[in-house]
Amino acid sequence: MGAQLSGPRRTLVLGVGEVPWDAPVAAADDAGLRGDGFFETLLVRGRHAVRLAAHLDRFERSAAAFGVGLDRDAWTALAVAATADLPAAGEAVLRWSLSRDGLGLVTVRPVPDGVRAGRRGVDVVTLARGTATVPDAPWLLAAAKTSSYAVNSAALREAARRGAQDALFVDADGLVLEAPTANLLWTAGGRWFTPPRSGRAVLPGTTLEAVAGELNVEEAHVRPAELAGADGAWLLSSLRGAAPVLRLDGTALPHDADRTAALRGIALGTG
């Protein structure tokens, strides 16, 4: 069991409203319990959901990929209701989820200690994910943030077993794809890069999108050994923001604190 976290915990059900945090809300055969659903995770800072519109956009794209309807106004209202009574200062995690059977949930919980620690930097290992490219097959849901997260969770457990805090997936050609819950950003020679996403089962991240809007980020293939020669690398995600990669497969990577601070300001909506 993990350490208990102090702070707000709330559950709201689409079409119902708020229920007790630990109330049973799903039928035993709900599709979401077998991974047939999708979700979004947002950082809340001082009652403000960071990049709310961008997350709603991706939530709608996931709904379209699943072929289900989504009432944007209803989800916005749930997000507002869930965060309205939070402390004016501090952070929380807001999560939306919708199953194919129509069970919609919004939860609020404290930011895990591991997320906060990861903002200072992470050691990363590379893990094989196999397929080099993804065919034109919409049933693979490559562009949706699905609740089928068993592989991602298993990858993070394997990283922890190896003494690291995160992982980078590499494809069958040895090229870096993404982390289980983050996109990769690196800099070399004064330029910013991220792995190509189209056709490679790399989920476009809202944080990467925000950073790319401020910086001239180019798409480029990269191998793990090449990252060791970069001027710095970061994992971008909604909760950690920009987590500097301190070690990759045991090799130390350069870390510029000023660059990290600037990226974090963009990524966490404070810059």
Side-chain angles (χ1 to χ4, degrees), residues 79-235:
V80 171
T83 57
D85 296 331
L86 295 179
E91 297 180 333
V93 178
L94 176 69
R95 189 179 190 272
W96 301 321
S97 63
L98 181 60
S99 79
R100 173 165 293 283
D101 287 340
L103 177 62
L105 299 175
V106 172
T107 60
V108 175
R109 59 184 174 86
V111 176
D113 293 339
V115 168
R116 297 184 187 279
R119 292 174 183 170
R120 298 191 294 269
V122 290
D123 290 350
V124 175
V125 295
T126 54
L127 299 176
R129 197 165 75 180
T131 306
T133 58
V134 177
D136 182 15
W139 56 88
L140 295 179
L141 300 172
K145 193 171 178 68
T146 77
S147 53
S148 301
Y149 243 51
V151 170
N152 302 61
S153 298
L156 291 174
R157 290 195 299 272
E158 177 62 19
R161 190 187 70 81
R162 299 187 190 189
Q165 293 81 50
D166 216 318
L168 277 174
F169 289 125
V170 296
D171 67 16
D173 293 328
L175 301 173
V176 175
L177 295 167
E178 61 184 345
T181 63
N183 291 115
L184 172 68
L185 178 77
W186 76 95
T187 184
R191 298 160 65 188
W192 296 93
F193 302 95
T194 193
R197 286 159 284 178
S198 179
R200 303 182 73 235
V202 174
L203 184 71
T206 59
T207 306
L208 175 61
E209 182 181 2
V211 170
E214 297 287 337
L215 305 174
N216 183 25
V217 177
E218 307 170 52
E219 291 193 347
H221 292 294
V222 69
R223 299 180 185 277
E226 294 168 331
L227 282 177
D231 298 324
W234 295 262
L235 298 184

Side-chain angles (χ1 to χ4, degrees), residues 11-91:
T11 301
L12 290 84
V13 181
L14 186 67
V16 176
E18 185 162 8
V19 300
W21 167 259
D22 56 354
V25 293
D29 61 350
D30 185 85
L33 296 179
R34 59 177 184 270
D36 195 1
F38 51 98
F39 74 101
E40 285 289 320
T41 303
L42 299 77
L43 178 69
V44 179
R45 298 174 62 90
R47 301 175 187 158
H48 168 68
V50 179
R51 280 184 287 282
L52 176 64
H55 282 281
L56 276 166
D57 289 345
R58 189 169 64 180
F59 204 44
E60 287 186 322
R61 291 195 296 271
S62 292
F66 273 76
V68 301
L70 190 144
D71 185 337
R72 186 181 180 109
D73 290 339
W75 285 95
T76 302
L78 274 183
V80 171
T83 57
D85 296 331
L86 295 179
E91 297 180 333

